[in-house]
Amino acid sequence: MALVAGCSSSVAGQPSASGGGSGSSVSGGSGKERLSPPLEQPVLDLKPFETKPCELLKPEQVASLTRAEPPESKDGILGPECAWPALDPVRDTRISLTLNVKTGEGLEGMYRRRSKYAQFVEFRVAGYPGVHANESEKAEGMGNCGSMVGVSDSTALLIIVHVQEGNPDYSTSCRVNEKIAEMMIQNLKAAK
């Protein structure tokens, strides 16, 4: 089951060099036409959390979503990562997040690889643009969702969940990602 490109999680795919979509403005001086929606909210600084990505979600926020093992952090391909393994792998939700700070692409990178995804659904959370991007159309209905939210032109938040069957959010797992993204945005704003 492959989800969002570039994450080093075992459920993620690798990015491809294809693009798609349409846009009208130029992105970042590269001369390429911008495909992703422009940022209409203040830029959020991920630097304070680069050495402590697990603090981007508070323990009580994680507890409101699932029962989890203590978080595990590491430095990943896209940037710092944190995972909350499910306390009960048969019943509980597994959450992982990545601070996409290494590519310099932000959300634009997802749009440039849009044709790779069978599911590519745009959304907004707290006014920030995001996309649910899964390599299988059945991923969300089977409890899996990968999402990215742009917080600047060059950085983004990557969220991947695996919701277990029997959980009320199983067939709408991308909604869980939207809740997580909203929590992280609130925490980033509060950290200023």
Side-chain angles (χ1 to χ4, degrees), residues 114-151:
R114 183 178 190 150
S115 64
K116 177 182 173 97
Y117 302 102
Q119 180 194 36
F120 195 90
V121 179
E122 297 173 315
F123 68 97
R124 284 202 172 263
V125 61
Y128 290 85
V131 65
H132 303 303
N134 296 291
E135 291 179 355
S136 167
E137 289 180 5
K138 298 178 182 179
E140 181 179 12
M142 296 176 65
N144 300 296
C145 187
S147 307
M148 187 174 278
V149 177
V151 294

Side-chain angles (χ1 to χ4, degrees), residues 69-135:
E69 297 281 356
E72 304 164 352
S73 66
K74 67 178 183 178
D75 189 32
I77 296 169
L78 300 178
E81 299 178 2
C82 186
W84 288 265
L87 186 62
D88 180 343
V90 176
R91 294 191 183 121
D92 299 322
T93 300
R94 183 184 196 289
I95 300 170
S96 65
L97 65 88
T98 301
L99 281 64
N100 181 353
V101 295
K102 291 184 179 179
T103 66
E105 294 181 318
L107 192 59
E108 182 70 12
M110 291 297 289
Y111 277 78
R112 296 225 171 263
R113 291 181 287 280
R114 183 178 190 150
S115 64
K116 177 182 173 97
Y117 302 102
Q119 180 194 36
F120 195 90
V121 179
E122 297 173 315
F123 68 97
R124 284 202 172 263
V125 61
Y128 290 85
V131 65
H132 303 303
N134 296 291
E135 291 179 355

Side-chain angles (χ1 to χ4, degrees), residues 6 17 60 73 109 114 119 133 142 153 157-158 165 182 186 190-191:
E60 61 271 20
S73 66
R114 183 178 190 150
Q119 180 194 36
M142 296 176 65
D153 283 341
L157 301 169
L158 171 63
E165 194 169 1
E182 187 166 11
Q186 289 170 356

